[in-house]
Amino acid sequence: MKEKHIRELINNEEVVIVKKNTISAFGKVIYYLVGACLSLTFLFPIFYMIAASTKSEETIAQHAGTILMFIPDFAHLGTMFNNYKIIFGEGYNVGRYALNSLIYAAIAIVLNIVINGAAAYAISKLTFPGKRFFNAIIMFLIIVPVETSIIPLLSICKIMLKLTKSLSILAIILPSAISIFNIFLFIQFFSSIPKEFEEAARMDGANTVKVFFKVILPLSKPILATVAVFCFIGVWNDYLWPTMVLTDENMYPIQAALTTIQSIEGIETGQIMASLVTTSIPIFIVYVAAQKYIVKGFGAGGLKI
C-alpha cells in the first residue's frame, strides 16, 4: 500500500511538472509572438524610409497603400541609388554636413571623456572640502531639463565669450564637452574600481594625473564606450542648438542641415528619405559596434545607486 501511495504521489508530481512546463512554454511562445509583432510595428517606418529612398516620385505614388511601399525598388537596379547620388551632389552636399557632424562628435567625445572623467574621478576617489555639496548639485542637475539652460547658455556664448561668426564653432563644441549625466555614470563606475589599483600605482611613484590616465581610464573601457556612444548620438542628433549659434550654413551638422535640404524647391520624397537613411546609418553602426560594452558598462556599476 505504501509503495502504491508513493507511486501515485510521484505520478501526480510528474503531471504537475509537465503542466507547469507546458504553461511555461506556451507563455514563452506568446511572449515572443507579441514582442515580434511590436518590433515589426516599430520597424515599419524604417522599412518605408529605406524602400522609398530607392524609388522615384512616380513609383512611390504607385506603391502607396500597398505592401510594395515597404519593399525597395529591386525592379530598377540601375536607378536604385539615384536619390543617394543626388543628395551627395553639389546641390545638397549631405556628405559635407555629415563630415561636420563626425568632426564635432569626435572632438566632443574626447573632451567628454577627459573633462567629465576627471571631474568624476575627483568626486568618487579624492577627498576635498565640499565633496558632498558637489554630489548633491550633480544629482539635482540630472533632473533639470536641458531646455531650461538653453537661453542662459546662449547668452554666455554670445555675450560673455563672444563666440560669434568664425568662433561660433566653439559654441558647438564647448557645451557638448560637459554632461552631468555622463559625470554621474563615471562616478558610479569609478566607485566600483578597487582602491588597491590606485595604491599600487602610487607606490610606483604615480601622481594623481598618472593614476587617472594610466590606471582608472584603462580599467573603465565599458563605461568609456557607453559615454562615447551617448555623446556621439547626442551631437549627431543635435538640431536646435546649432541653428541658434552657427551663422554659416556650411558649418551646420547633419540634422540642422536636413531642414535646409528639405526646404529646397523641387526636392523629391525619395531624396528626403535617402538623406534620412544617411543620417540613421552611423548611429546604427556605432550602437551595434558598442552594444556589448554598453551592457558591460551598466552592469559593472554604471547605474548602481
Side-chain angles (χ1 to χ4, degrees):
M1 292 295 293
K2 289 183 178 179
E3 291 181 0
K4 184 177 180 181
H5 183 64
I6 291 172
R7 287 177 182 175
E8 288 178 355
L9 288 175
I10 292 173
N11 291 334
N12 290 334
E13 287 181 0
E14 289 178 351
V15 170
V16 171
I17 292 172
V18 170
K19 287 182 178 180
K20 286 183 177 179
N21 290 337
T22 304
I23 293 172
S24 177
F26 181 74
K28 286 183 178 180
V29 171
I30 297 298
Y31 174 80
Y32 286 116
L33 282 175
V34 173
C37 292
L38 289 175
S39 299
L40 287 174
T41 302
F42 289 115
L43 288 174
F44 272 135
I46 298 176
F47 292 152
Y48 172 74
M49 179 178 68
I50 295 173
S53 69
T54 65
K55 302 175 183 178
S56 64
E57 196 75 10
E58 294 179 359
T59 306
I60 292 175
Q62 291 174 359
H63 293 172
T66 66
I67 192 63
L68 293 176
M69 66 187 293
F70 300 105
I71 302 174
D73 191 12
F74 295 113
H76 303 88
L77 293 177
T79 60
M80 193 173 177
F81 298 102
N82 278 358
N83 292 323
Y84 293 92
K85 294 178 182 178
I86 293 173
I87 64 170
F88 278 97
E90 293 184 2
Y92 300 97
N93 273 325
V94 169
R96 179 181 62 196
Y97 299 126
L99 180 61
N100 290 344
S101 288
L102 289 175
I103 293 173
Y104 298 154
I107 297 173
I109 288 171
V110 174
L111 293 177
N112 250 273
I113 291 174
V114 174
I115 297 174
N116 297 333
Y121 174 68
I123 294 173
S124 61
K125 294 295 186 179
L126 304 182
T127 302
F128 56 90
K131 181 176 178 178
R132 290 185 178 180
F133 171 76
F134 285 106
N135 264 321
I137 288 295
I138 288 173
M139 294 303 297
F140 171 74
L141 291 177
I142 286 177
I143 64 175
V144 175
V146 178
E147 290 77 11
T148 60
S149 63
I150 287 181
I151 300 304
L153 189 60
L154 183 65
S155 300
I156 292 172
C157 291
K158 288 197 171 183
I159 299 174
M160 294 179 62
L161 300 180
K162 306 293 183 182
L163 299 180
T164 56
K165 295 183 180 179
S166 59
L167 292 177
S168 59
I169 188 173
L170 293 177
I172 293 289
I173 295 172
L174 293 180
S176 63
I178 298 177
S179 169
I180 296 297
F181 182 69
N182 288 343
I183 293 176
F184 173 75
L185 289 181
F186 274 125
I187 289 174
Q188 303 308 310
F189 192 90
F190 291 166
S191 298
S192 66
I193 298 177
K195 293 183 179 179
E196 287 76 11
F197 290 104
E198 297 177 73
E199 293 172 355
R202 293 187 188 280
M203 289 178 64
D204 291 336
N207 56 24
T208 302
V209 176
K210 284 187 177 180
V211 169
F212 174 66
F213 283 102
K214 299 289 186 178
V215 178
I216 299 299
L217 288 185
L219 292 172
S220 306
K221 290 180 181 179
I223 203 65
L224 293 180
T226 303
V227 169
V229 170
F230 286 166
C231 183
F232 177 84
I233 293 175
V235 174
W236 186 268
N237 286 336
D238 198 7
Y239 161 73
L240 180 61
W241 180 249
T243 57
M244 294 175 66
V245 297
L246 291 177
T247 56
D248 185 1
E249 290 188 359
N250 292 326
M251 298 167 63
Y252 273 4
I254 186 67
Q255 296 295 346
L258 280 181
T259 303
T260 304
I261 292 172
Q262 292 175 16
S263 63
I264 295 176
E265 186 177 354
I267 189 170
E268 298 181 355
T269 304
Q271 295 161 11
I272 294 175
M273 296 301 170
S275 62
L276 294 176
V277 171
T278 302
T279 61
S280 303
I281 288 175
I283 296 177
F284 176 78
I285 293 174
V286 168
Y287 184 79
V288 170
Q291 184 179 13
K292 63 178 181 179
Y293 297 106
I294 294 175
V295 174
K296 286 181 181 179
F298 285 140
L303 285 180
K304 184 180 66 177
I305 297 177

